[in-house]
Amino acid sequence: MKKQIYITDTILRDAHQSQAATRMKLEEMLPACKLLDEMGYWSLECWGGATFDACMRFLNEDPWERLRTLKAHLPHTKLQMLLRGQNILGYKHYADDVVDAFCRKSIENGIDVVRIFDALNDIRNMERAMRAVKEYGGICEAAISYTTSPFHNEDYFVKLATTLEEKGADVICIKDMANLLLPFDAYNLVKRLKENISVPIHLHTHNTTGTGDMTYLLAIQAGVDIVDCALSPLANGTSQPTTESLVATLQHTDYDTGLDLSKLSQAATHFRGVANRLKTEGFLDSKVLSVDTNTLLYQVPGGMLSNLISQLKQAKAEDKYYEVLAEIPRVREDFGYPPLVTPTSQIVGSQAVLNVLSGERYKVFTKESKGLLRGEYGKVPAPVNEVVRKKAIGDEEVITCRPADLLPPELEKYKLEAGLLAHNEEDVLSYALFPQVAKSFFEKRESPAPFLHSAQTPPTHEPQIRTLYVQDLFH
């Protein structure tokens, strides 16, 4: 049976987030937009993830203006974004009124497909965003965060997917953020999902462990509908498998994508220049292009690995690298086997660093580790180590309800706090997600003096955020 395979290209979002700290500028995207718009992609992923923060923090760009401009230049192609459920694009849970407003404004400004995930696969943290996306006319792509553990198996993921379909998902995404989904496992999982759900299946992986292309090929044979790829200048390694390679592989077969290799080559030529700029300025390191099978051993996404190295360098403790890698799975087990994806990857990774550098396991807990063990992020997939939890939070009550149920409406509060610096509701939402970054951006926008921006300006995060979250710009 013939079955066309559709491709989402990540060149405008995850490709440069995974490899180059999300430093591609809007001005570098626009010259290729006409060509990309004629390509015939299922969608172009161009927004969400770390792009929102990076636009204001490093590139002196308004993320909403970037989205509107891309929509104007890509009128025939669905634009896709990544949303962290109740976390939106930040690192904490937001009240429902903020989630509703963000989904509405994202769609109004040009987003067509919203991929929604939760780091713990807690569907309660996804439902509000899913409903809002559908209410405002977007395509709701609900994602299952793929991982492996004694508690994660095919039955777990099939049940998760069927529940998400029942909750209204238009598409189910298998989000394999660390390239842990091996080829034959992908075949079996996709086959099971096709037998149990009726909506399209979209597979997202990386090539960190070198298995991404094989995973896609077997998933295609099992019936997957859409896969994520990246144009070659920013593909492979910690990014997605290469678009051109998969298109060539499937050409003249029953799975032909219908994409034109010559047009893809033209687009790649443009982005090769962008990649050269990113490499020259130090954002594109050769390490992100290489295969690292440590991911299979420790389940650490590629960007998280590079951040661990950076943290250990700052502490003059690079010799502790393998001790930290070995500690990460132990912390993950103690914390209830959360998938390692933003923000849980940062929480578990930073706690592992503290455990090793302090010379005593759990001598010190980060605020975020305490929050995870207390239930502030939702329900973890498996039982936690109660001794560790007791040490972290003492006799504090563990949250068992949906965490956002404890949050009163917040949008009016953020409007008041942003004050005259916010010109519209989009500005209020920018402030809600990243108050300090947005305030600084707004003040520069208001300043009559020209703002000479350097993309290499160091981040000004609070200390705990610098420790925990700088790797989010990579993965």
Side-chain angles (χ1 to χ4, degrees), residues 24-166:
M24 190 188 297
K25 304 170 187 174
L26 176 62
E27 65 194 54
E28 295 173 311
M29 302 174 183
L30 295 181
C33 280
K34 186 174 187 300
L35 194 55
L36 294 175
D37 197 37
E38 296 170 349
M39 207 71 75
Y41 291 125
W42 187 77
S43 68
L44 272 166
E45 195 201 33
C46 64
W47 211 60
T51 60
F52 199 96
D53 180 10
C55 275
M56 294 187 292
R57 190 186 299 274
F58 301 119
L59 302 178
N60 193 33
E61 290 185 28
D62 182 337
W64 299 98
E65 183 58 32
R66 171 184 282 203
L67 174 56
R68 289 189 290 270
T69 304
L70 287 173
K71 188 65 176 178
H73 285 78
L74 296 159
H76 305 108
T77 304
K78 292 192 290 294
L79 300 188
Q80 181 170 318
M81 73 167 293
L82 181 66
L83 187 84
R84 299 178 193 135
Q86 210 72 30
N87 293 156
I88 309 180
L89 300 176
Y91 307 108
K92 67 173 187 176
H93 281 209
Y94 292 87
D96 290 338
D97 62 336
V98 180
V99 173
D100 288 346
F102 192 90
C103 291
R104 173 167 53 84
K105 282 298 176 183
S106 298
I107 292 165
E108 284 179 11
N109 281 275
I111 287 297
D112 301 287
V113 183
V114 184
R115 178 178 291 168
I116 303 165
F117 78 98
D118 177 68
L120 301 177
N121 285 321
D122 188 339
I123 292 176
R124 300 174 304 170
N125 295 335
M126 300 169 65
E127 286 182 271
R128 188 70 183 214
M130 290 174 66
R131 285 201 302 271
V133 166
K134 291 179 72 71
E135 179 182 346
Y136 298 117
I139 296 170
C140 172
E141 181 173 300
I144 55 179
S145 296
Y146 183 83
T147 190
T148 59
S149 83
F151 293 87
H152 293 88
N153 53 33
E154 269 183 30
D155 290 340
Y156 170 90
F157 291 117
V158 170
K159 182 179 179 182
L160 196 60
T162 54
T163 305
L164 289 169
E165 184 183 22
E166 290 166 5

Side-chain angles (χ1 to χ4, degrees), residues 19 181 183 233 387 390-391 399 411 415 417 427 435 458 461-462 471:
Q19 285 195 356
L181 180 58
V387 174
K390 176 79 171 176
K391 193 171 183 181
I399 296 168
L411 199 55
K415 284 180 184 176
E417 287 182 11
D427 282 351
H461 301 184
E462 299 85 352
Q471 66 263 51

Side-chain angles (χ1 to χ4, degrees), residues 60 72 80 137 168 174 177 242 260 266 269 290 315 346 354 382 423 447:
N60 193 33
Q80 181 170 318
I174 305 168
M177 55 280 175
T242 308
D260 186 330
Q266 289 177 54
T269 298
S290 60
Q346 292 87 337
L354 283 177
H423 296 171
S447 173

Side-chain angles (χ1 to χ4, degrees), residues 411-424:
L411 199 55
E412 289 303 316
K413 177 192 75 170
Y414 288 126
K415 284 180 184 176
L416 289 172
E417 287 182 11
L420 296 176
L421 285 173
H423 296 171
N424 48 44

